[in-house]
Amino acid sequence: MNYHVAQAAWLNAINNFLLKNISEIRADFPILNKKVYNKPLIYLDNGATTQKPQCVIDKINEVFSSYNGNIHRGVHAISDKASEEYETAREKVRSFINAGKREEIVFTSGTTGSINALAFSFGERYIRKGDEIIISNLEHHANIVPWQMMCERKKAKLRIIPINDNGEILFDEYLKLFSPKTKLVAVSQVSNALGTILPVKKIISVAHTLNIPVMIDGAQGVQHGITDVKAMDCDFYVFSGHKIYGPTGIGVLYGKEKWLTELPPYQGGGDMVETVTFEKTTYNELPFKFEAGTMNFPGAIGLGTALDYVLSLGREDIEMRERELLEYATNRLSGIDKLKIYGVSDKKISTISFLLKDIHQYDTGMILDKLGIAVRTGTHCAQPVMDRFGIDGTVRASMCFYNTKEEIDVLGTGIEKVISMFS
Ligand code: PLP
């Protein structure tokens, strides 16, 4: 063994020693010990929301029991402490997604809140009659409806990137959608309905050659690998706290400073102003210009702790565990006769959408539920994806690092049981 090989093996051994094993990881999430219908809970609905580690639960408890004072307002000790923790959480978000400046991180209520805010502000500032916004056929309703509402207000149009039978966008068709009227591209990093990872770097680089800004919906991307907004070069990036092991009701709108400086605020109220008279109001500096009213500071602080937790596990390690789970689950489920997987791109996160021949997805979901297995059924708030495949919904098993191969086996057996009940 030469020196470098020995050194790599040694580092690997240390790394394995430092990494938590799966039982240690699962012990961090109290809900994973629960039973439903007297069966161990098998939680495979992580695309809808993720479970919370004890450190996040404790942190929120700490805010309310030790320093629940309204942020940026009081001169008193607990308001100061809450403000400091809130701004520390902003810094944690900045560093997690590798944004350049803390001013570029705006807290919102979630991905939906972020996209609505952007659609309103961007629409007010830049969109005129006949302008066009490009989105894809893979989008969640949260990345369709706010743009549609803005288009209705401004008499603008949506242009849609089509997808193929694997559930991947057709890149050549994307290129054809650009026109002098194109003002923005807004696409997902990862499809929630099928799990497809979109080629966002390529999407952005093409748009930028035409000086068109791009918003990336990171709701299903940020928790599954390393997101680096500088490397990606997106103009806006949005995500939700609750999908990355943090609390509900908190989310992030990242925007490059030059855009956030030009965009008008989308809500008025306390804290987003510098001076107010009845004649004129001047706005606060970034990012506070976009944070009107009392913000969800316990949520932001809890999100900061969730990001620390993810970093403590290691994002490469999370990616590796989830890749193994996807491979295992794909093999197990595709071996089941009468099961069809929707979304078969070779670039996917650990999500499997499927249907059983002649069995409605709700029946499948309800029987699995009685076996203690939580999956999502329906359109997954992505009706155009279902329309593209001519179906009215799927069953979706969305896995993350705390799931196990044993759980996938129980899912497989559960699905076989559903099939036998209906045959
Ligand atoms: N975008 C995508 C891709 C999603 O998966 C979701 C939620 O599932 C959303 C947006 C909306 O997120 P939220 O409901 O947290 O605002």
Side-chain angles (χ1 to χ4, degrees), residues 257-318:
E257 190 179 24
K258 67 169 180 147
W259 290 111
L260 293 187
T261 304
E262 280 190 17
L263 288 172
Y266 67 102
Q267 280 186 328
D271 218 29
M272 52 76 73
V273 289
E274 188 184 51
T275 60
V276 179
T277 65
F278 287 119
E279 288 71 40
K280 184 166 173 59
T281 289
T282 57
Y283 302 130
N284 204 339
E285 60 196 19
L286 288 177
F288 309 113
K289 176 172 100 172
F290 294 105
E291 294 185 352
T294 297
M295 296 299 288
N296 178 4
F297 62 91
I301 296 168
L303 171 59
T305 302
L307 300 183
D308 286 343
Y309 179 79
V310 167
L311 292 175
S312 77
L313 293 184
R315 287 185 279 186
E316 288 90 349
D317 191 46
I318 289 177

Side-chain angles (χ1 to χ4, degrees), residues 47-49 109-115 138-143 188-193 217-221 223 238-243 248-250 376 380-381 396:
T49 197
S109 60
T111 306
T112 304
S114 299
I115 300 176
L138 283 174
E139 302 312 311
H140 185 282
H141 297 163
N143 198 29
S188 287
Q189 189 175 12
V190 171
S191 149
N192 70 313
D217 171 354
Q220 300 290 339
Q223 65 281 53
V238 298
F239 69 94
S240 299
H242 72 101
K243 293 188 195 281
T248 38
I250 189 73
R376 172 93 183 258
H380 319 297
C381 297
R396 184 186 71 181

Side-chain angles (χ1 to χ4, degrees), residues 140-198:
H140 185 282
H141 297 163
N143 198 29
I144 302 174
V145 185
W147 301 114
Q148 243 168 6
M149 289 161 68
M150 185 267 271
C151 285
E152 251 171 53
R153 264 198 330 272
K154 294 284 171 178
K155 310 267 176 290
K157 266 194 249 159
L158 284 184
R159 309 289 315 270
I160 315 297
I161 314 169
I163 57 174
N164 64 20
D165 290 344
N166 291 344
E168 299 158 321
I169 64 156
L170 293 169
F171 205 81
D172 289 348
E173 298 299 318
Y174 166 56
L175 302 180
K176 290 184 203 156
L177 293 179
F178 286 94
S179 82
K181 292 280 186 190
T182 309
K183 289 293 181 308
L184 181 80
V185 176
V187 292
S188 287
Q189 189 175 12
V190 171
S191 149
N192 70 313
L194 306 178
T196 318
I197 301 173
L198 281 81

